[in-house]
Amino acid sequence: MAEVNELVITRPDDWHLHLRDGDMLARVVPDTAKRFGRAIVMPNLVPPVTTAALARAYRQRILDAVPNGLAFEPLMTLYLTDNTTPAQIEAAKASGCVHGVKWYPAGATTNSDAGVTDIRRCDAALEAMQALEMPLLMHGEVTDHSVDVFDREAEFIQRHLIPLIARFPRLRVVFEHITTRQAAEFVAAAHEGVAATITPHHLLLNRNAIFAGGLRPHNYCLPVLKREEHRHALVAAATGGSPKFFLGTDSAPHERHAKESACGCAGIYSAPGAIELYAEIFDQAGALDRLEGFASFHGPDFYRLPRNTDTLTLKRETWQMPAQFGEGPDALVPMRAGDRMTWRLV
Ligand code: NCD
Ligand code: ZN
């Protein structure tokens, strides 16, 4: 195949994104809105977005931060807690702006203290979600400290996901930001209502990146990066053409002081080069022709939303990702900071 130097694809969407709130929200929304038509916005604010009314208000704050001239639609989510009621799920469905409910195991990650302590406490809410076809978006890790941190996703499949799918066979489930061969294989073999998002960092980096020449806090995320064999399996899943896998950056900005700390926050800020990084991955895999399916078709098809109708153009061209956005302890350090990018947004 001749080398492709320009790529025109249907505008992509980001099916897993953290936008935060307040000043941070205004700083990060433009990076996503320049590239993506829509994004599933995660609800892990403080306090969490637990009701349709909170989601609607957050949606308006996001829209207020979209630069003039860009059309960007935030797709809102609710934060599932032990106390989420069927009535709250019904109100979320009726709102028209809530497109999923996020399951964080309590204590698993950033702002997950209000998360689910025991999935059985959520049976009534899950029943309502199944009936209303409201997808459950799962952070797939066990939080049991006796389980090795690198094994927490594989263990989650056995302990939680398999029993859940058996009890709610018509529930639509997105296994978020998968990081292992086991997760990729599980999703590929599951029924059509089970899908997964895959991040650019889990496709480009293995766990060596956390320790390359010294501790690299900007490569620390959850679920944590895994071995090279897992990265390979994820690349095969993403570039293989299956509609069960789609783009979700998990772009998760934290200010520099919160990353470069004795107890650094988990999260990689990939939004400033997200679609460019995915293009690089598909290019390296010899699968540029499949980028559009992964980035622009599989997500809306799963969520039963229309595909975008406008396009985005990428050019093969090297440029340097800025080392940081802003100055001092509040700066945001993006993925690939100060380093070479191989695709450019036109
Ligand atoms: C996310 C965050 O910072 O909100 N962090 C991360 O490492 N991915 C939370 C999450 O998605 O687990
Ligand atoms: Zn996330």
Side-chain angles (χ1 to χ4, degrees), residues 44-59:
N44 60 331
L45 303 183
V46 187
V49 181
T50 49
T51 65
L54 288 169
R56 204 179 289 111
Y58 184 29
R59 178 174 183 273

Side-chain angles (χ1 to χ4, degrees), residues 45-303:
L45 303 183
V46 187
V49 181
T50 49
T51 65
L54 288 169
R56 204 179 289 111
Y58 184 29
R59 178 174 183 273
Q60 190 56 52
R61 296 197 296 281
I62 297 167
L63 288 174
D64 292 344
V66 176
N68 285 336
L70 292 176
F72 173 71
E73 192 188 347
L75 306 172
M76 308 312 293
T77 59
L78 288 197
Y79 187 116
L80 186 67
T81 75
D82 289 353
N83 305 314
T84 304
T85 62
Q88 285 172 329
I89 301 296
E90 280 155 27
K93 183 76 182 185
S95 77
C97 72
V98 176
H99 297 269
V101 177
K102 182 71 186 286
W103 182 81
Y104 287 102
T109 186
T110 309
N111 302 336
S112 62
D113 296 348
V116 174
T117 61
D118 179 350
I119 191 79
R120 298 230 168 216
R121 301 207 171 141
C122 301
D123 276 4
L126 293 169
E127 212 51 87
M129 288 166 61
Q130 176 166 260
L132 296 168
E133 302 196 330
M134 173 70 79
L136 177 66
L137 319 182
M138 304 193 87
H139 182 111
E141 290 191 288
V142 297
T143 52
D144 181 342
H145 286 263
S146 70
V147 178
D148 190 280
V149 69
F150 292 100
D151 298 333
R152 286 182 189 171
E153 183 176 280
E155 186 61 25
F156 161 83
I157 298 170
Q158 301 304 322
R159 249 190 237 185
H160 298 297
L161 190 52
I162 292 174
L164 180 80
I165 290 173
R167 290 197 301 127
F168 297 96
R170 287 174 295 105
L171 184 63
R172 300 178 69 72
V173 175
V174 184
F175 194 165
E176 296 292 342
H177 43 50
I178 60 167
T179 67
T180 57
R181 176 178 54 75
Q182 289 92 329
E185 286 174 358
F186 180 83
V187 170
H191 71 74
E192 63 79 37
V194 178
T197 54
I198 311 183
T199 75
H201 43 282
H202 291 104
L203 291 166
L204 283 163
L205 305 173
N206 66 36
R207 66 192 197 176
N208 289 349
I210 309 167
F211 307 106
L215 191 59
R216 302 285 183 166
H218 297 288
N219 290 337
Y220 174 56
C221 63
L222 285 169
V224 73
L225 297 170
K226 303 295 192 298
R227 286 178 181 274
E228 181 66 2
E229 70 165 287
H230 296 291
R231 190 187 70 82
H232 264 279
L234 298 176
V235 171
T239 63
S242 163
K244 296 183 141 206
F245 299 102
F246 41 83
L247 185 160
T249 63
D250 196 18
S251 178
H254 293 276
E255 289 174 343
R256 180 193 278 281
H257 65 87
K259 294 289 294 174
E260 299 175 7
S261 150
C263 187
C265 290
I268 295 180
Y269 179 45
S270 58
I275 190 63
E276 299 92 323
L277 291 166
Y278 281 109
E280 181 177 314
I281 293 153
F282 278 69
D283 190 13
Q284 276 171 13
L288 272 180
D289 57 326
R290 291 191 170 153
L291 177 64
E292 186 178 44
F294 178 79
S296 315
F297 296 161
H298 303 167
D301 293 355
F302 180 86
Y303 277 90

